[in-house]
Amino acid sequence: INAEYMGLLKSNPHKQHISMGSCCGRDRLSELYEYDELELFKTLFDYDQLQTLFRKYNDLKTDPQSDHITFAEFSNLDNLKKNPMHEHIVSLFRFPQEQISFRDFVFALSVFSPKKKADMKLRFAFQVYDMDGDGKISREDLSNYLTQFLGSHLLAEDLDKTVTRTFDELDLDGDGLLTFEDFVKASAKSDISSKVTIRF
């Protein structure tokens, strides 16, 4: 999150002197953030979406007077919580500190923005399938993903067939592992990036 944010600042040097306001007891973004900061946010979401995110951010607070949320509070975001992969998806987010500012909240969720580049969405989707986080998707990863995502709707026999068929098609070197490059090639046949988009 911080690396991407700093990259945007470097491309817009005058934005490095932005002062961040407190979120306590206020509900209008324009009152809390300077113009340049809002313009930076708007490279990720339009203003209506930012207003929605701001309401969601404040709704997550167990202490309404706090100027931040915790990771535990972040994990309660309804858009993520209703996903059957909720716990795994939440575990993929990394924040620079325990106290999550609205800025960090926006940049974390920007992966779900329609404005986000497709390659970044694909990288995130790959991490979702890579259940053990070792940088490759194994048969076990895919099996665990399908089990969590579909639950009892998928019979064990169908699960095995799906995993086998997927690796027969995509695992060209036969090592039982799918790399990010394999994943990108496979995604060309489907619109995976649209599935990593949330309309806030």
Side-chain angles (χ1 to χ4, degrees):
I1 297 169
N2 270 357
E4 182 176 6
Y5 180 68
M6 291 308 297
L8 285 170
L9 288 182
K10 288 177 182 177
S11 66
N12 300 272
H14 67 285
K15 292 187 170 79
Q16 295 186 37
H17 303 290
I18 294 167
S19 63
M20 299 296 292
S22 168
C23 298
C24 299
R26 318 255 317 257
D27 59 4
R28 293 189 60 189
L29 285 170
S30 58
E31 293 178 356
L32 299 175
Y33 300 101
E34 293 184 9
Y35 174 81
D36 285 345
E37 183 78 0
L38 288 177
E39 288 301 297
L40 187 60
F41 288 164
K42 284 157 65 177
T43 64
L44 306 171
F45 296 99
D46 63 37
Y47 197 75
D48 287 342
Q49 290 172 324
L50 287 171
Q51 291 280 19
T52 298
L53 287 173
F54 192 63
R55 286 194 297 272
K56 287 178 178 288
Y57 179 79
N58 284 309
D59 287 345
L60 289 171
K61 297 176 182 177
T62 53
D63 177 5
Q65 298 305 310
S66 177
D67 62 355
H68 67 270
I69 61 173
T70 64
F71 187 79
E73 290 168 336
F74 171 79
S75 69
N76 285 324
L77 183 66
D78 56 352
N79 301 87
L80 301 180
K81 202 164 187 179
K82 62 187 178 184
N83 190 300
M85 302 293 295
H86 166 251
E87 290 187 10
H88 176 55
I89 290 174
V90 167
S91 74
L92 299 177
F93 289 95
R94 299 289 184 271
F95 293 94
Q97 53 192 5
E98 291 184 9
Q99 298 181 344
I100 302 170
S101 68
F102 179 64
R103 183 193 69 188
D104 291 335
F105 182 74
V106 168
F107 273 83
L109 296 178
S110 68
V111 70
F112 301 117
S113 170
K115 295 184 178 183
K116 197 72 171 182
K117 292 181 179 179
D119 61 327
M120 298 299 291
K121 288 180 175 289
L122 286 172
R123 179 65 69 177
F124 186 82
F126 180 79
Q127 292 178 315
V128 172
Y129 282 90
D130 178 19
M131 297 290 289
D132 60 7
D134 66 354
K136 294 183 178 181
I137 300 173
S138 65
R139 289 174 176 270
E140 184 177 2
D141 284 330
L142 183 56
S143 180
N144 288 340
Y145 169 85
L146 292 172
T147 299
Q148 285 192 36
F149 190 74
L150 298 174
S152 59
H153 298 289
L154 187 64
L155 299 176
E157 182 179 350
D158 293 332
L159 173 63
D160 291 339
K161 288 180 179 178
T162 300
V163 172
T164 297
R165 183 172 63 252
T166 300
F167 274 80
D168 285 346
E169 293 178 3
L170 304 179
D171 183 19
L172 300 181
D173 61 6
D175 66 350
L177 298 169
L178 300 180
T179 64
F180 178 64
E181 289 70 24
D182 295 327
F183 187 77
V184 170
K185 291 176 183 177
S187 69
K189 302 176 183 178
S190 62
D191 189 13
I192 288 182
S193 62
S194 68
K195 297 176 183 177
V196 191
T197 297
I198 297 176
R199 301 287 177 179
F200 290 104

